[in-house]
Amino acid sequence: ANGTKNGLIANWNNKPSADWPNMDTPAWGSPFRNESLLASLPSGKIGLSDLEQAAWHIARRETATGAVFVPDFQNLMTSSLSSGNDAVLRLLRAYDGWSLEGSVGAKVYGATVRELRKELFKPAVGTFIQPTVFETIIQPSVIRKALRGETAFDFLAGRTSTAVLEKAMVSAKRSLTTELGEDASKWTFSPGTISVRGQSPIPYNNRGTYIQIFELGAFPVGRSVASPGVAESGPHSSDQADLARSWTYKPMRLLGPSGAN
């Protein structure tokens, strides 16, 4: 788990202790998604509403990389680029880490980081056949170290980090233009979704599927939602789809010794 100075302990599949084996993906490193969870919580006392908002928050933040490459793009000089790429650089500089549906900046940022991964690692290790495997193996923490020249192997291959960033940006523009056309206003981000049988999918799947929020006191209270996917099939697998779609929760009741409410 990851702790803070105010005593808060949070976990989003991050390493809970030094000897804990990694049985999940993505691989551990920094940035990691629990950092986004901690960043979404206010300082001081935390209530149920803060935790509910945290789930909404992390689903819309760039948790894969934590937007750690934004400062690198912000430091690029437009004078070192051809004028045709200035618009792309402006979008990268303006990107604030929010991956909202329809965001052009989020789309450009994601495409540029993908190209940065290829620019640094493809010549030396290949792409491991499948893009998804390549992205799983080459985590943002490794990309950042390679970009800073902090790895034993020289993935920069004698180039400056600025040159590599510029090359990635140019490649991202080329791939977006090929995929979506010349009009940058159409380069829009679409979040992942939760599938619902017989209904339109629920946007923003980067959240807990079964979310439970508790406040422990003299009389514990809680709220929860079981999104589609908790149960893959069955007559009740989508009962709480409307709650998940609207980011609302149902109250949880404490059962007495006899099982009565």
Side-chain angles (χ1 to χ4, degrees):
N2 187 271
T4 63
K5 292 181 179 180
N6 64 1
L8 178 67
I9 297 177
N11 184 279
W12 192 359
N13 294 94
N14 45 295
K15 193 178 180 107
S17 65
D19 60 344
W20 197 270
N22 185 4
M23 305 300 290
D24 196 5
T25 55
W28 289 312
S30 182
F32 197 70
R33 53 193 178 190
N34 64 294
E35 296 175 29
S36 177
L37 176 59
L38 287 169
S40 70
L41 296 172
S43 59
K45 292 184 177 180
I46 295 173
L48 293 178
S49 61
D50 296 313
L51 298 178
E52 288 190 13
Q53 291 176 48
W56 186 96
H57 186 281
I58 61 177
R60 291 163 172 80
R61 292 293 289 178
E62 170 44 57
T63 56
T65 68
V68 294
F69 301 107
V70 168
D72 298 297
F73 293 125
Q74 290 175 338
N75 290 331
L76 287 178
M77 299 297 292
T78 54
S79 59
S80 66
L81 301 169
S82 64
S83 59
N85 292 308
D86 285 352
V88 175
L89 181 55
R90 284 197 296 271
L91 287 166
L92 289 171
R93 281 178 162 174
Y95 180 58
D96 58 1
W98 284 98
S99 294
L100 301 176
E101 186 169 10
S103 168
V104 176
K107 184 71 172 182
V108 173
Y109 179 79
T112 307
V113 172
R114 283 194 295 273
E115 295 300 327
L116 179 61
R117 179 185 283 107
K118 289 191 286 187
E119 188 65 31
L120 284 168
F121 294 94
K122 184 178 178 180
V125 302
T127 59
F128 299 95
I129 302 177
Q130 294 291 335
T132 53
V133 177
F134 185 47
E135 292 181 9
T136 299
I137 294 174
I138 308 298
Q139 292 291 307
S141 56
V142 180
I143 300 174
R144 183 165 62 174
K145 286 187 176 182
L147 186 64
R148 295 177 176 178
E150 298 174 351
T151 52
F153 183 86
D154 182 19
F155 291 102
L156 289 170
R159 301 168 294 177
T160 65
S161 59
T162 297
V164 174
L165 286 166
E166 291 180 357
K167 186 71 177 296
M169 189 178 65
V170 171
S171 298
K173 181 184 178 183
R174 185 185 306 115
S175 66
L176 289 168
T177 300
T178 300
E179 178 188 357
L180 300 170
E182 294 280 351
D183 185 357
S185 67
K186 296 181 179 178
W187 300 349
T188 55
F189 172 79
S190 296
T193 60
I194 300 173
S195 298
V196 186
R197 185 177 53 187
Q199 302 180 32
S200 59
I202 301 171
Y204 298 107
N205 66 338
N206 194 31
R207 51 173 141 172
T209 308
Y210 184 20
I211 304 175
Q212 301 180 72
I213 300 173
F214 291 99
E215 184 174 19
L216 301 179
F219 185 80
V221 295
R223 296 164 65 78
S224 72
V225 60
S227 304
V230 174
E232 298 293 339
S233 60
H236 301 291
S237 59
S238 301
D239 282 358
Q240 298 179 41
D242 289 341
L243 291 177
R245 194 184 304 279
S246 60
W247 293 88
T248 51
Y249 301 81
K250 66 181 188 302
M252 302 178 70
R253 303 183 186 281
L254 183 66
L255 298 179
S258 63
N261 289 343

